[in-house]
Amino acid sequence: MNPNESARAHVYLHNNIFFSRAVDTGLDTFKIIQGDAAAKKSASRDCCNMGLLHRLDIPGLHTLATVLVEYLGTRIICQSVVPGILHGEKSHKLLYGAVETLSGLQCDDEMHELLESTIGEGCMIATRKIPKHPLSDEVSIVGCFVCAYHVPLCCVKLVSNSSHLYHKCIILNSQRMEFIKENRITPLPLLQAAETKKEEDDNDDNKDSLVQACGPIEMKGILGSDQRKYVLDCTRLTPRDANWVSKDIGGTGKWEESLESSVARSQELIPSTLDDDEWTACVIRRELITNYAETKIRDHLVKYKEEMESKKAEDEKKDDSAAEDKADTADDKEWVDLVPGKKVKEYEKSEEEKAEEKKKESLLLAKVEDEYVNSLRYNVNVFLPYTRSIEGIDKDSYETLKKDEEEARQLARYLWDTAIPSLTKEIRSGGGSGLQLPADGRALTEMIHQRGINCRYLGRLAELARKEELEDIISSKKAATAAALTMSSISAEADDKIAAAKQYKAPRFCMPICWLELLECEMVARAAKHVLDSYILENGNQPAAQTIASFLSAIMSVGEESAGETEVRMTNNPDQEEMATLTLDFGDDTSGNTVSSNNRGREEIWKDIEREVGRRFRYTLLLYNSTSSGSSKKGETEESRALYMPLLRRICQRSGIRLVAKQYDLGKKCVCGGSAPSYPIAPSDILDILPLVKHAASLAGESFSPCSFSGSNPVGSNTTLHILLDDVRTMHGIAQANLNNRNYDAVVEYAQEAAALYQRVLDSPLHPQITKCLRLTTIAHFQKNEYEQAVVAASKYLAITIALNGFDSYEVLQAHLTVADIYLEAGKIEDFVKHARSAQFLMEFLGGKNYAGIAPQYYRMGSLYYEAGKVEDAFRFFEAAASRRKEDRMFECLIARNTSGVLANLGLFRQAFEYEKKAYQSYLTFLGEDHDATKACMRSLSVSYSLVCEKYISYVFHSSTY
């Protein structure tokens, strides 16, 4: 639609869908953020917010169908078109916000009231006064746009910044505005809602005037030709994250303090400042605001109750005093001595009066709560760069802005000081609370998002996890020392010196080491996606398969092969040499020139990934590429904790890469870069590169999902769309409430009806809401001991979950565990073992060999084999459980004691004694010698020792006889 502009600014219209790139739109478009990275993040936030407004289904407020498509490093915004916007300015009208840089903000009263009553109340957004021309006199523009839009050098002042990969240009506002007026281009069709000439003149004359705004400054409200009000560019519905704002411009300073205190770790890969345009689009999650608001409401109600009780006590005290004064002159028959020294009137309230008082108190508390909730509003336009200050325009509004900024800082501090440490504590004690740890990056993302924690805090979570692991190592050493001192004979003179050491008891639960492994795996996968996108865009003429194969080979290795090692490998595997000949020819580009390989070596690739991890997560990797990160001794032990297969799977998920299903030599040496074919992943192993799609109305969370095509229908694009069926949503809610109340008949009725209605509308059972209904039905039948019906519902639940998410997903893992529990209760042990083994395989495949749920699964199956009389198989499972990581130290003792019992049944008394001794030492270490479990284990140890002695005596007797 605009062929005369640069290629990056081209926009397209196809099938009434508007296509544009998620890049910085240039000088003449009204915007706050700068740079392509911030523009991509802002487009993602806009898509999420459009989905939220769609799910709210607000009458009178309409949104555009929005889909983001990312392919080979380029993000495309696909939107429906506002009716009438392509037919001239008379067919539509701008009601809210601004389109062009020179235009002032519009604020239609009716539109503002609609936004305030819907978005303001529903999303807790405050209405604030902002300048009608909010842009400041100096605006930062990325240097490449200066060239792209031919800004004259007289308007530009270059500023070098060592913390960025580019230079910034500061353009004085007066010269910039004059240049834009002289060189104004035709606005984009989607953004052609401009003001009249008279309104522009008025705006120029009143640059210091203020307007009301409820929502982000960039948001636009347009009245289409169909007389509907549409909302566009809703980039923020929550305040900006103050933790990612530099302290000198109003941030919390948490990252600066953390960097200063972390003297033991490498800091060269972590930027010293937060001066990055991409962080302008970092906002607080809505879940965090909900949790924070609930905390404030709870504290407010507690304080209000205390004040009311205090006031009530004072009133009763006054009434007692008045009653005593009156008792002196009243008839003694009318008054009785209830308390010695006091005379009060004998009167007791009836039950109806007490109930009425409680009802009034409840209504009063509800009213107070509603009033306080309505007062909890947050300004989403705080800490915005390049905006005009209102300090000299409106003093009251400026003071309100300062209060809003402090409230945003309080939100960020709550996230840093409360939400993140609470999650770490919950993970540590997960074995006792029954928390199921996430097994892959997708489940991890959903878990932290539910707690209001953004993925950019993965580095902070990993830092806390590392500290917890170090504390576990120290506590284990202290506990072992205390146990050794207890079991040894110590002189009386030495008791005073080591009494404190003997009394030390280690905590029962330790930090799951799979938590740190999962966090680092997710950080590397996310950083690798951004690095790979930059490589693909840079190597535009080179086949993407070659770039991807070389990149993946570098990540999935511990070093590069030498020429001799490569020759030996090729000689031993002739098939690899034949396949290599298919990937060495890059062909010619469009100009007829031969394309040469531009792949990087492993060291350069990992350096870029570590730098991206340091910039994006402010963290230094410990488990991956450890030899280049720091200590070599520590790297030898921690390098084995790197999750290569889960990392490869996660990178492919986030980049849309399909690989050949075969056994790859991961965790070994690689070949990447140069003219040699990449290894262990070759370009011929890349089957397909799928586009990643993010739909505004999707139920699949906020992540992009690969979209494949089967015939003419896309697979994965419409199976997770939100369906606006209020009746079905109500039915599902009633079913969930009845499940909590243990009314299982009602659960089955409402869940089945909701699933049937969903399937009738979708004409397919493949939808997440249907799986939720089937899960409720399964649980209800299971609780009613209707195992046959539960098995049928669980089988459907498992089949649909596999069809939606694939067989290797966390949802399928949970489904297998559910089906296994049902078969176990139904007495079908063989079917239970099949699903339990499938769950155990998925745990190790998704979460690695140290995943917290593997040992309990082995122990569970071993117990069943032992009960069935298959003692040898039970011993094999118990031995496998003992070799796995256990977060509950008492569970380790339990495995040892059961293994001892199995070995005793097999007649292996000496080995049984060793396991019983191991259990006793663990009990002594963590519970102490006075605990009942320790004493019971000591008695069992004595019995085992007696059996060993009897067997030895019997052996000696028989030997001497012969």
Side-chain angles (χ1 to χ4, degrees):
M1 298 183 67
N2 52 346
N4 295 329
E5 298 184 26
S6 60
R8 58 181 282 113
H10 284 173
V11 294
Y12 306 88
L13 185 67
H14 178 69
N15 285 345
N16 210 31
I17 301 176
F18 188 76
F19 298 86
S20 62
R21 288 181 173 85
V23 295
D24 198 326
T25 52
L27 299 176
D28 59 342
T29 303
F30 181 86
K31 64 183 183 298
I32 300 297
I33 62 173
Q34 308 289 345
D36 285 351
K40 292 179 69 174
K41 186 178 288 292
S42 179
S44 180
R45 297 280 76 77
D46 179 33
C47 185
C48 295
N49 294 336
M50 288 294 106
L52 175 62
L53 297 180
H54 169 73
R55 289 189 291 273
L56 290 177
D57 193 21
I58 302 172
L61 193 64
H62 303 273
T63 59
L64 301 181
T66 305
V67 173
L68 300 183
V69 179
E70 191 163 299
Y71 187 67
L72 297 180
T74 300
R75 183 171 294 181
I76 305 296
I77 305 174
C78 313
Q79 283 185 319
S80 58
V81 181
V82 176
I85 202 169
L86 299 177
H87 301 89
E89 297 181 0
K90 294 184 179 180
S91 59
H92 63 277
K93 182 180 180 182
L94 180 68
L95 302 177
Y96 216 75
V99 173
E100 295 180 297
T101 303
L102 298 177
S103 304
L105 298 176
Q106 300 297 308
C107 182
D108 180 75
D109 293 338
E110 186 177 350
M111 184 70 179
H112 177 72
E113 291 178 1
L114 176 62
L115 293 174
E116 194 172 24
S117 61
T118 55
I119 298 179
E121 294 182 2
C123 301
M124 302 172 67
I125 298 178
T127 297
R128 295 291 184 261
K129 291 183 179 180
I130 59 176
K132 195 165 188 176
H133 290 266
L135 295 181
S136 61
D137 292 335
E138 291 186 350
V139 181
S140 176
I141 305 294
V142 179
C144 63
F145 289 107
V146 177
C147 300
Y149 286 90
H150 309 288
V151 179
L153 294 178
C154 63
C155 301
V156 178
K157 177 183 178 182
L158 289 178
V159 180
S160 178
N161 191 338
S162 59
S163 65
H164 290 71
L165 301 177
Y166 53 82
H167 291 286
K168 286 187 175 181
C169 301
I170 296 180
I171 303 179
L172 298 181
N173 190 56
S174 58
Q175 297 175 337
R176 173 176 175 270
M177 297 301 181
E178 182 179 354
F179 172 78
I180 292 175
K181 287 180 180 180
E182 295 175 357
N183 300 273
R184 178 176 294 187
I185 60 176
T186 303
L188 302 180
L190 185 61
L191 304 176
Q192 282 185 334
E195 298 77 10
T196 61
K197 185 67 170 62
K198 182 178 182 301
E199 290 174 334
E200 292 181 356
D201 294 338
D202 294 340
N203 292 337
D204 292 337
D205 295 336
N206 300 286
K207 289 186 177 180
D208 290 339
S209 60
L210 302 178
V211 295
Q212 297 280 355
C214 181
I217 295 178
E218 307 95 313
M219 186 174 67
K220 302 166 184 60
I222 296 179
L223 181 66
S225 59
D226 57 352
Q227 300 304 307
R228 292 180 176 178
K229 298 180 177 65
Y230 292 88
V231 175
L232 291 76
D233 294 343
C234 189
T235 55
R236 288 182 312 281
L237 290 178
T238 55
R240 186 181 171 188
D241 190 350
N243 290 330
W244 290 81
V245 179
S246 298
K247 188 175 182 179
D248 55 353
I249 59 174
T252 60
K254 292 294 185 180
W255 280 120
E256 290 88 338
E257 296 172 4
S258 175
L259 193 63
E260 291 174 359
S261 61
S262 302
V263 294
R265 71 182 222 182
S266 175
Q267 300 180 4
E268 59 182 7
L269 299 174
I270 301 177
S272 58
T273 67
L274 292 169
D275 187 15
D276 195 317
D277 284 333
E278 186 173 355
W279 310 146
T280 309
C282 293
V283 297
I284 295 290
R285 292 193 61 83
R286 287 191 50 80
E287 296 88 345
L288 183 78
I289 291 183
T290 301
N291 296 337
Y292 180 71
E294 289 177 353
T295 302
K296 294 191 68 175
I297 293 171
R298 183 170 57 252
D299 295 341
H300 177 74
L301 292 179
V302 169
K303 184 179 179 181
Y304 179 79
K305 288 181 180 179
E306 291 177 352
E307 292 177 353
M308 291 298 295
E309 290 177 358
S310 176
K311 184 179 179 181
K312 185 177 181 181
E314 292 179 0
D315 293 341
E316 290 179 353
K317 188 176 181 180
K318 292 179 181 178
D319 293 341
D320 292 341
S321 301
E324 289 179 358
D325 295 339
K326 188 175 181 180
D328 295 335
T329 58
D331 186 4
D332 292 338
K333 294 181 180 180
E334 189 182 357
W335 301 86
V336 295
D337 288 325
L338 296 180
V339 181
K342 279 189 178 181
K343 286 190 176 183
V344 297
K345 192 171 184 178
E346 184 177 14
Y347 174 74
E348 184 176 353
K349 295 181 180 179
S350 63
E351 293 297 330
E352 292 78 6
E353 290 176 327
K354 291 180 179 179
E356 187 66 23
E357 282 190 359
K358 289 183 178 180
K359 183 178 180 181
K360 289 182 179 179
E361 290 178 0
S362 300
L363 293 175
L364 183 60
L365 285 176
K367 182 179 179 181
V368 171
E369 182 178 355
D370 292 340
E371 292 177 354
Y372 188 73
V373 168
N374 292 331
S375 67
L376 292 177
R377 301 291 181 91
Y378 300 95
N379 188 354
V380 299
N381 295 316
V382 293
F383 306 120
L384 296 183
Y386 324 127
T387 53
R388 186 189 303 273
S389 174
I390 61 174
E391 182 176 4
I393 302 176
D394 191 322
K395 184 178 179 181
D396 295 337
S397 298
Y398 178 73
E399 292 177 356
T400 302
L401 177 62
K402 289 301 178 184
K403 293 180 181 179
D404 293 337
E405 290 179 350
E406 180 58 31
E407 189 66 23
R409 282 190 288 269
Q410 291 296 333
L411 267 172
R413 293 190 187 103
Y414 175 80
L415 170 59
W416 183 280
D417 298 330
T418 303
I420 296 177
S422 296
L423 177 58
T424 303
K425 184 178 180 181
E426 187 179 359
I427 293 297
R428 183 183 181 91
S429 60
S433 61
L435 174 68
Q436 180 72 35
L437 289 180
D440 64 349
R442 180 179 174 184
L444 169 67
T445 302
E446 293 179 357
M447 178 185 185
I448 64 175
H449 281 179
Q450 289 173 0
R451 288 159 174 78
I453 302 174
N454 306 84
C455 286
R456 56 180 174 271
Y457 287 100
L458 290 173
R460 179 60 182 170
L461 287 169
E463 194 73 27
L464 296 180
R466 179 60 181 166
K467 291 180 181 179
E468 294 290 335
E469 288 188 11
L470 293 176
E471 291 179 3
D472 288 337
I473 295 174
I474 296 173
S475 64
S476 297
K477 290 181 179 180
K478 289 182 178 180
T481 302
L485 293 173
T486 303
M487 297 181 67
S488 62
S489 58
I490 305 172
S491 61
E493 292 78 8
D495 287 348
D496 295 337
K497 299 179 181 180
I498 62 175
K502 289 180 61 177
Q503 296 298 325
Y504 180 80
K505 299 295 183 295
R508 174 178 174 177
F509 297 101
C510 57
M511 192 68 182
I513 63 175
C514 64
W515 179 244
L516 177 61
E517 295 171 358
L518 184 59
L519 291 171
E520 287 211 7
C521 179
E522 183 66 11
M523 282 188 284
V524 173
R526 288 175 175 270
K529 177 186 181 301
H530 293 282
V531 175
L532 180 59
D533 287 346
S534 65
Y535 288 173
I536 292 177
L537 292 175
E538 184 177 344
N539 304 337
N541 295 328
Q542 181 174 320
Q546 180 70 18
T547 302
I548 293 172
S550 179
F551 181 80
L552 294 179
S553 297
I555 295 180
M556 299 299 131
S557 62
V558 295
E560 289 195 67
E561 286 184 349
S562 62
E565 292 173 335
T566 303
E567 184 177 356
V568 171
R569 176 175 54 81
M570 293 290 229
T571 303
N572 296 333
N573 299 277
D575 295 338
Q576 293 184 3
E577 187 174 3
E578 294 179 2
M579 293 300 297
T581 59
L582 301 177
T583 60
L584 292 176
D585 185 12
F586 297 102
D588 300 334
D589 60 11
T590 56
S591 303
N593 300 321
T594 301
V595 179
S596 60
S597 174
N598 192 26
N599 296 323
R600 296 160 175 79
R602 180 184 181 279
E603 183 178 355
E604 184 178 356
I605 290 174
W606 268 110
K607 188 175 181 180
D608 290 341
I609 291 176
E610 289 176 337
R611 186 184 296 110
E612 186 68 15
V613 169
R615 185 187 76 89
R616 190 168 296 276
F617 304 104
R618 304 188 69 80
Y619 178 77
T620 302
L621 295 175
L622 295 172
L623 309 182
Y624 293 87
N625 198 36
S626 57
T627 55
S628 64
S629 298
S631 60
S632 58
K633 292 182 180 180
K634 185 168 60 178
E636 293 176 1
T637 58
E638 292 186 343
E639 187 178 358
S640 60
R641 291 177 58 185
L643 306 178
Y644 290 108
M645 181 58 72
L647 177 60
L648 177 62
R649 173 180 175 273
R650 188 60 176 154
I651 292 177
C652 291
Q653 281 183 340
R654 294 195 59 82
S655 301
I657 301 171
R658 277 186 172 177
L659 295 178
V660 174
K662 70 176 185 179
Q663 186 71 30
Y664 294 96
D665 295 332
L666 306 180
K668 300 179 181 179
K669 291 188 176 181
C670 72
V671 175
C672 58
S675 58
S678 59
Y679 174 82
I681 300 175
S684 57
D685 295 328
I686 310 297
L687 288 180
D688 199 359
I689 306 173
L690 302 177
L692 301 174
V693 177
K694 182 175 184 177
H695 201 293
S698 176
L699 290 174
E702 298 186 357
S703 60
F704 286 81
S705 58
C707 179
S708 61
F709 290 85
S710 177
S712 59
N713 297 322
V715 178
S717 61
N718 59 350
T719 56
T720 60
L721 295 184
H722 176 71
I723 308 300
L724 292 175
L725 294 174
D726 292 336
D727 295 341
V728 182
R729 184 169 53 186
T730 302
M731 287 182 183
H732 182 269
I734 295 175
Q736 185 66 53
N738 280 287
L739 180 64
N740 298 333
N741 296 329
R742 299 184 179 182
N743 186 6
Y744 302 120
D745 292 331
V747 173
V748 173
E749 179 183 356
Y750 284 104
Q752 289 181 347
E753 183 65 22
L757 287 176
Y758 270 123
Q759 188 167 350
R760 197 176 306 162
V761 172
L762 296 168
D763 198 24
S764 170
L766 300 181
H767 195 272
Q769 292 297 335
I770 295 181
T771 62
K772 292 181 180 180
C773 295
L774 288 174
R775 187 172 185 274
L776 289 177
T777 304
T778 301
I779 296 174
H781 283 304
F782 178 74
Q783 294 295 335
K784 292 173 61 180
N785 298 328
E786 298 173 350
Y787 298 123
E788 294 297 331
Q789 295 90 328
V791 167
V792 173
S795 300
K796 293 180 181 179
Y797 166 56
L798 176 61
I800 296 177
T801 304
I802 293 175
L804 283 174
N805 305 289
F807 75 93
D808 59 335
S809 63
Y810 182 71
E811 292 81 5
V812 174
L813 167 61
Q814 296 296 317
H816 275 298
L817 291 175
T818 301
V819 176
D821 290 337
I822 295 174
Y823 277 123
L824 180 61
E825 291 295 327
K828 298 180 179 180
I829 305 300
E830 293 183 1
D831 294 324
F832 160 78
V833 172
K834 291 179 182 179
H835 289 281
R837 291 287 286 175
S838 298
Q840 176 266 323
F841 168 77
L842 288 176
M843 287 179 185
E844 191 162 354
F845 179 74
L846 300 177
K849 62 182 181 181
N850 294 322
Y851 183 69
I854 297 178
Q857 201 67 18
Y858 276 124
Y859 174 78
R860 189 182 184 189
M861 288 186 286
S863 300
L864 289 175
Y865 274 103
Y866 183 73
E867 293 176 0
K870 298 182 178 180
V871 183
E872 294 181 355
D873 292 331
F875 172 70
R876 184 165 55 88
F877 278 104
F878 284 145
E879 197 173 28
S883 65
R884 300 294 180 170
R885 169 81 177 184
K886 280 81 64 179
E887 282 64 42
D888 186 353
R889 293 184 169 101
M890 294 301 99
F891 181 63
E892 186 174 355
C893 301
L894 185 63
I895 293 176
R897 294 202 66 185
N898 280 271
T899 306
S900 176
V902 170
L903 290 171
N905 286 335
L906 293 174
L908 304 174
F909 299 113
R910 186 175 185 84
Q911 292 89 331
F913 173 75
E914 293 297 331
Y915 274 97
E916 196 71 42
K917 181 180 178 182
K918 181 180 178 181
Y920 174 73
Q921 289 176 342
S922 298
Y923 279 128
L924 189 64
T925 300
F926 302 110
L927 297 180
E929 57 184 343
D930 297 330
H931 198 275
D932 293 339
T934 307
K935 294 178 181 179
C937 189
M938 183 62 188
R939 290 191 292 269
S940 299
L941 185 64
S942 300
V943 173
S944 297
Y945 183 73
S946 300
L947 292 174
V948 172
C949 292
E950 290 178 4
K951 185 175 182 180
Y952 178 74
I953 293 172
S954 176
Y955 172 77
V956 172
F957 175 76
H958 287 290
S959 299
S960 61
T961 301
Y962 291 104

